[in-house]
Amino acid sequence: MNRRGFLVTAAATAFMPAFGSNPVLAKTVLRPPETAMIPKRIEQLGRTRIDNYAWLRDSNWAEVFIDTSKMQPDIRQHLDDENRYADAILAPTKDRQAQYVASMNAMVGNDSETPPSPDGDWNYYTYIRPGEDHTIHARKPRGGGDEQILLDEQARAKGRDYYRVEDAQHSPDHNLFVWAEDLGGGDRFDIGVHDLKTGKVSVTTTTDTYGWLGVIVSPCSKWVFRIQRDQYGRPAKVMRMPAHGGPEALVYEEHDGALFVSLGRTASNSHVTIRISGPDLDEWHLIPAAAPESKPVLIEPRTVGLHYQVETWNNQLIILTDADSAVDGRLVRADVSRPGKTDWQDWVPYAEGCNLLEMHPFRDHFVLLQRAGGKLEVVVTQADGRTKTIAFDEAAYDVRVADNQEFASQTLRLSYQSPRTPERWIAYDMATSQQTVIMSSSVPGHDPQAYEVRALFAAAPDGQQVPLTVLMKKGTKLDGTAPLLLYGYGAYGVPSEADFSIANIALVNAGWIYAIAHVRGGSEKGRSWFLDGRKFKKRNSFTDFNACAEYLIAQGYTAKKRLVAYGLSAGGLLVGASLNLRPDLYAGVIAQVPFVDMLNTMSDATHPLVPAFRPDWGDPLADGQAYDYIASISPYENVHKAAYPMVLATAGVRDNRVSYWEPGKWVAALRAHTTSGKPILFRINMSGGHQSNSGLSDAFAQAALFWSFAELSLKS
């Protein structure tokens, strides 16, 4: 039977009863769409594989990401059938989803305003109006006066299915407000400029700007620097455009598609920064504030294995680097006129076990964010060299240094939160060490003392101690009866911080335990923790995750089939691969835009991210060892005959990071191999991308869907 024939058959049988022996799902479960098996033979590096579901990738995919109406009709029909099936299975949870949304909305305070961030003559802040989804950016005169709206995201989002803002900022002279906005969900941004003197708002709509550290206003406020994507959607060119409109000029072009380009400004506004980076290298260029049209100045040429970050302080360059085997970082100084590595002078030496993360210079103080002993700390250095460390005493927490602080200020702004503690903002006097809580997020009805946060460790098969963060109601019995949701990510050195989440609190209020598995591949225990979970050591991430699950079961936090796994993007790879290893552990799996088709995606040289992430995953186009290793761990390639639990996978058709066909193919393979008879669901956002929601109500609705699915999976 040809592909269309399979799809017609699937449509005709979409409402036939199935799984009738299951007493819980018998009345609601329907037969899933039957995904056509059309074997595609792929020969690569002397190896052959058969991909039965390769046809799900639209041959016109590059245009589909921009205009979904161009999708092949049979593929569109299949995705629509998948959505109908998922909706039918989840229909009995509609009331429960509404209850979750109501409980989350009840915890949203009316004072969602951030504390004012003083700069010059103004206090800048953001808030969300009660009952709305999107942020308002505003300011008031520092001495008091009327509010001025800088950007009303809610108004600009009106009538749109999708709207998201990145890189919103005021100009150093306070006369402009600039932002990047995505109107389609495909991470392709336009640039908006609000002239705060005249009130005029102009939007440059043909730029296809990269919206992640992709826009910055020059120190003189006359120019906007932006990053232009190339034909594959990769950040490639730095352009300089007049802030008030006019022709733009090319500043820098990166020809290596394996590297990312990002923009910034030094804290002192002395330079615009251009950072070229990849998993295994950095290269920085500076443009002096006094000469914004000049050629960027190279700091140190890119060298594989050398990472560094650049700031300025006291007329010197301050460089955070892993040079000379300082795997977790050290600080060096250099003269602006002699910035190269040969002239770097030691300042803060390398200390094993202390991971230096961020630099934040002020006129009279230098601030470092670091992770020591697995916990975040803030270190303040005075001009005379004396240091003070700001630490916190909860079992697990997150602390951040606020962005864009006033350079001349003596006050350091920090934000602090934990899984049970809503975000609060702290003013720290760097001269006296006095701390003042200047604002706390209002979460009506929430009492942090009603919850318990625990920092635990699970033994991995190789003896490594894997950190776990647990959030639960105080008094929860550890007798194996509690349902538990286990979240993990574990990739690219990105840590899963112990943040506060209204959605997570709603889940815990419903009787669940929420846990984070800080598996290798992240950086919760320093850069070596990342390196021990990448490329040919990636399997460690999966065995770590399952070890965390087994530990939680053994300690009575939950039990087999009371445990649901949740992963996002590369975290979808984590839970998908962990599921293949131990399908018996989990009652359900939530895989949000999951990276589960590793071998095929990493073999696609046109993919916008593939060249950049070959150091993390390997290159199966050129390296046989990499091919074989990826083939041995890829969730899609390693689905096998087993009693798989319920699975919910999601995708966005405009996602060019993890394309919709990855979870689509994985779901089809799971259905073809599972022996459990439990539903495998695939839900596709037909207008969104990798960021599947753009407002607060969307985020709550998605969480409610996930939590309701988790509850349903316990009953299946």
Side-chain angles (χ1 to χ4, degrees):
M1 186 182 295
N2 62 23
R3 175 171 59 182
R4 183 60 185 165
F6 273 104
L7 294 170
V8 170
T9 300
T13 61
F15 296 97
M16 292 174 59
F19 312 112
S21 61
N22 189 300
V24 175
L25 296 174
K27 294 182 179 180
T28 59
V29 173
L30 307 171
R31 192 173 302 281
E34 186 174 345
T35 312
M37 294 180 63
I38 304 177
K40 178 181 179 181
R41 181 183 177 90
I42 302 172
E43 295 183 359
Q44 193 170 321
L45 297 181
R47 296 151 173 85
T48 301
R49 67 183 184 273
I50 303 297
D51 189 345
N52 288 319
Y53 306 108
W55 67 268
L56 281 171
R57 171 174 170 159
D58 196 299
S59 59
N60 196 32
W61 66 269
E63 293 187 29
V64 170
F65 286 136
I66 299 171
D67 182 357
T68 59
S69 69
K70 296 182 178 180
M71 181 177 286
Q72 292 172 211
D74 53 353
I75 295 176
R76 177 66 185 242
Q77 180 65 56
H78 179 74
L79 299 184
D80 288 343
D81 289 344
E82 288 283 9
N83 277 337
R84 279 192 289 270
Y85 172 66
D87 288 346
I89 295 295
L90 294 168
T93 72
K94 284 294 186 183
D95 289 345
R96 189 64 178 131
Q97 290 181 48
Q99 291 169 7
Y100 268 121
V101 168
S103 70
M104 293 180 223
N105 282 328
M107 286 186 276
V108 177
N110 291 327
D111 58 342
S112 58
E113 182 176 325
T114 58
S117 177
D119 190 7
D121 296 332
W122 298 93
N123 280 322
Y124 291 87
Y125 55 96
T126 64
Y127 60 93
I128 298 175
R129 299 185 189 103
E132 295 187 344
D133 286 338
H134 295 276
T135 301
I136 309 300
H137 303 257
R139 71 180 183 183
K140 290 181 181 179
R142 203 160 176 172
D146 294 335
E147 177 180 85
Q148 182 179 13
I149 300 296
L150 309 174
L151 169 63
D152 186 339
E153 292 187 29
Q154 186 71 28
R156 295 191 67 79
K158 186 176 181 180
R160 301 184 184 279
D161 292 332
Y162 190 94
Y163 184 80
R164 190 173 86 257
V165 165
E166 296 290 342
D167 294 342
Q169 60 195 278
H170 64 270
S171 61
D173 69 358
H174 306 281
N175 290 328
L176 301 172
F177 195 77
V178 177
W179 65 93
E181 60 183 20
D182 177 7
L183 306 181
D187 289 338
R188 286 172 161 79
F189 290 81
D190 301 329
I191 295 177
V193 178
H194 182 183
D195 187 321
L196 302 177
K197 284 188 171 181
T198 67
K200 179 183 177 182
V201 174
S202 58
V203 178
T204 306
T205 59
T206 58
T207 55
D208 196 13
T209 294
Y210 189 74
W212 305 93
L213 301 178
V215 178
I216 199 75
V217 183
S218 67
C220 66
S221 303
K222 294 180 180 180
W223 305 93
V224 174
F225 290 81
R226 70 173 187 90
I227 296 173
Q228 172 73 43
R229 291 173 176 267
D230 66 11
Q231 60 180 323
Y232 302 112
R234 299 164 185 154
K237 296 180 180 180
V238 176
M239 310 298 294
R240 184 184 65 246
M241 55 188 290
H244 293 279
E248 58 183 1
L250 176 66
V251 176
Y252 175 89
E253 183 171 7
E254 179 54 52
H255 297 284
D256 188 340
L259 300 177
F260 287 98
V261 184
S262 56
L263 295 172
R265 218 171 45 226
T266 57
S268 65
N269 276 332
S270 62
H271 297 81
V272 168
T273 64
I274 301 174
R275 182 183 186 181
I276 317 301
S277 60
D280 286 338
L281 62 84
D282 281 300
E283 179 180 280
W284 286 65
H285 302 252
L286 302 185
I287 301 174
E293 299 177 71
S294 63
K295 181 180 178 181
V297 176
L298 174 66
I299 301 302
E300 172 66 20
R302 64 192 69 175
T303 302
V304 174
L306 175 66
H307 299 88
Y308 67 97
Q309 302 175 33
V310 180
E311 260 294 356
T312 57
W313 192 50
N314 289 344
N315 299 314
Q316 286 187 306
L317 297 178
I318 305 296
I319 299 167
L320 193 167
T321 180
D322 62 359
D324 303 321
S325 302
V327 64
D328 283 330
R330 64 189 179 102
L331 292 184
V332 299
R333 307 188 211 210
D335 191 281
V336 176
S337 64
R338 297 190 305 279
K341 184 173 179 291
T342 56
D343 290 300
W344 291 357
Q345 302 296 316
D346 285 335
W347 183 31
V348 176
Y350 174 63
E352 188 172 353
C354 183
N355 188 196
L356 306 186
L357 301 172
E358 297 175 4
M359 302 179 290
H360 297 272
F362 290 78
R363 185 186 62 196
D364 301 323
H365 300 85
F366 191 89
V367 176
L368 264 177
L369 179 66
Q370 64 185 31
R371 196 186 304 273
K375 290 192 173 184
L376 293 169
E377 299 176 343
V378 178
V379 179
V380 179
T381 300
Q382 300 185 48
D384 61 8
R386 289 181 296 166
T387 63
K388 298 176 183 178
T389 300
I390 310 169
F392 303 88
D393 59 4
E394 278 197 86
Y397 59 83
D398 186 16
V399 62
R400 300 175 187 178
V401 179
D403 293 328
N404 304 318
Q405 300 196 50
E406 194 170 28
F407 184 68
S409 178
Q410 297 293 308
T411 301
L412 170 66
R413 296 293 183 93
L414 304 173
S415 75
Y416 174 90
Q417 59 187 306
S418 81
R420 69 174 184 176
T421 306
E423 187 173 18
R424 61 177 182 242
W425 289 267
I426 299 168
Y428 177 83
D429 189 311
M430 291 185 282
T432 67
S433 301
Q434 181 178 353
Q435 294 186 36
T436 304
V437 176
I438 55 176
M439 185 178 287
S440 296
S441 294
S442 172
V443 183
H446 175 70
D447 176 11
Q449 297 308 311
Y451 305 84
E452 184 175 354
V453 176
R454 294 186 177 184
L456 307 173
F457 291 90
D462 62 357
Q464 285 284 352
Q465 296 296 303
V466 185
L468 269 163
T469 299
V470 170
L471 170 69
M472 61 186 181
K473 275 286 193 77
K474 277 188 178 177
T476 299
K477 292 182 179 180
L478 302 184
D479 58 3
T481 60
L484 186 146
L485 187 133
L486 182 62
Y487 174 82
Y489 186 75
Y492 309 122
V494 176
S496 297
E497 302 292 8
D499 289 335
F500 181 82
S501 162
I502 285 177
N504 293 347
I505 292 294
L507 182 69
V508 172
N509 285 346
W512 286 69
I513 295 173
Y514 179 86
I516 305 171
H518 303 282
V519 302
R520 278 174 279 188
S523 59
E524 289 88 339
K525 294 176 74 172
R527 184 168 171 79
S528 60
W529 196 245
F530 158 55
L531 297 174
D532 209 25
R534 79 191 297 227
K535 205 171 182 178
F536 298 129
K537 296 182 178 181
K538 186 60 195 171
R539 194 183 302 272
N540 286 337
S541 301
F542 317 142
T543 54
D544 283 357
F545 191 80
N546 285 338
C548 288
E550 291 179 308
Y551 175 83
L552 291 166
I553 292 168
Q555 296 301 310
Y557 286 88
T558 191
K560 280 187 179 181
K561 304 305 181 182
R562 301 286 290 164
L563 176 67
V564 175
Y566 174 28
L568 161 66
S569 193
L573 162 66
L574 174 68
V575 298
S578 301
L579 177 64
N580 281 335
L581 294 175
R582 290 295 306 276
D584 59 302
L585 284 177
Y586 304 100
V589 171
I590 302 165
Q592 183 181 351
V593 291
F595 175 41
V596 284
D597 190 16
M598 288 181 71
L599 186 56
N600 288 304
T601 294
M602 291 307 299
S603 298
D604 179 5
T606 67
H607 190 285
L609 297 181
V610 162
F613 290 136
R614 283 173 179 149
D616 287 310
W617 307 114
D619 183 3
L621 289 173
D623 182 352
Q625 183 184 6
Y627 182 106
D628 293 339
Y629 191 79
I630 293 172
S632 75
I633 65 172
S634 173
Y636 175 55
E637 262 73 27
N638 289 281
V639 172
H640 56 94
K641 188 175 181 179
Y644 283 98
M646 282 189 73
V647 173
L648 172 61
T650 70
V653 293
R654 285 198 171 104
D655 188 351
N656 66 350
R657 294 188 234 176
V658 179
S659 305
Y660 70 85
W661 56 80
E662 288 205 33
K665 292 163 62 178
W666 180 56
V667 161
L670 286 170
R671 287 183 187 145
H673 288 85
T674 186
T675 61
S676 70
K678 295 181 180 180
I680 312 292
L681 309 181
F682 183 30
R683 223 164 180 268
I684 310 98
N685 185 329
M686 300 304 290
S687 62
H690 199 66
Q691 310 296 327
S692 55
N693 53 71
S694 62
L696 191 61
S697 62
D698 290 335
F700 284 175
Q702 179 172 261
L705 172 72
F706 289 168
W707 300 168
S708 299
F709 166 84
E711 291 181 347
L712 183 64
S713 71
L714 298 184
K715 303 172 185 176
S716 67

